Amino acid sequence: EAQVTQNPRYLITVTGKKLTVTCSQNMNHEYMSWYRQDPGLGLRQIYYSMNVEVTDKGDVPEGYKVSRKEKRNFPLILESPSPNQTSLYFCASSLYEGTRELFFGEGSRLTVL
Amino acid sequence: LAKTTQPISMDSYEGQEVNITCSHNNIATNDYITWYQQFPSQGPRFIIQGYKTKVTNEVASLFIPADRKSSTLSLPRVSLSDTAVYYCLVEVTDKLIFGTGTRLQVFP
């Protein structure tokens, strides 16, 4: 089944404790991206990657890092999480950068205390 | 920061046509306008995308005027299962920007 898989789905952590949210897609998609969704602010893009070893900042990249060492994986790294990063995070992929037909994961709900 | 705005909510009854509009200034001249549907506790799901005029698929139509400053998602004959939040997505200065979202409630 074609899908985008995120882990963990739920996480409660404390300020400053590094964490990684993994994202994997099995559709051989070139383009992958991360979003956060907050009440009243909607979905905002954090980072995106057009292909292996190519990443770029989205609208709200501060406090986050990403890497794209393999085509299928695009982890989101919070080196020193803070409470304002409490949010619902979505990973998405598409066949190539020019199409906006994104396939989203189920989401990862992160709480930073 | 350019805003992409939508009505906060809309109500409809089963079998009616629903039109949801998104206003977007300063979008890229050569990029798609795309619409998504999101149910609670799920990721957004692609509905339709277009560049200009009108696009239709098996679930919706998308109308885009010549100036591309807005777009309208049209859902024919909605059912209860169409109750969801709908987002437009556009590109603004190389950034993908989602609209503010419209919560559609369909009543029997």
Side-chain angles (χ1 to χ4, degrees), chain A residues 29 31 92-104, chain B residues 32 34-36 45-49 89:
Chain A
H29 283 174
Y31 182 87
S93 71
S94 65
L95 188 58
Y96 57 93
E97 192 272 336
T99 177
R100 299 303 176 216
E101 185 174 357
L102 297 166
F103 293 80
F104 282 82
Chain B
Y32 285 111
T34 314
W35 283 80
Y36 287 84
R45 186 176 70 174
F46 173 87
I47 301 173
I48 194 168
Q49 71 180 0
L89 173 65

Side-chain angles (χ1 to χ4, degrees), chain B residues 2 21 27 34 54 64 98 104:
Chain B
T21 297
I27 67 169
T34 314
K54 177 183 174 182
I64 303 170
F98 278 90
L104 172 64

Side-chain angles (χ1 to χ4, degrees), chain A residues 9 31 35 37 42-45 48 57-59 88 90 96-102 104-107, chain B residues 1 31-34 36 38 41-46 49 87 89-91 94-100:
Chain A
R9 294 288 312 280
Y31 182 87
Y35 303 83
Q37 187 170 34
L43 285 148
R44 295 177 292 168
Q45 190 181 53
Y48 64 94
K57 296 176 181 179
D59 208 25
L88 178 58
F90 288 101
Y96 57 93
E97 192 272 336
T99 177
R100 299 303 176 216
E101 185 174 357
L102 297 166
F104 282 82
E106 292 295 303
Chain B
L1 177 66
D31 200 63
Y32 285 111
I33 297 167
T34 314
Y36 287 84
Q38 187 178 27
S41 302
Q42 293 186 22
R45 186 176 70 174
F46 173 87
Q49 71 180 0
Y87 293 95
L89 173 65
V90 297
E91 181 182 342
D94 297 329
K95 299 285 190 275
L96 289 185
I97 303 295
F98 278 90
T100 48

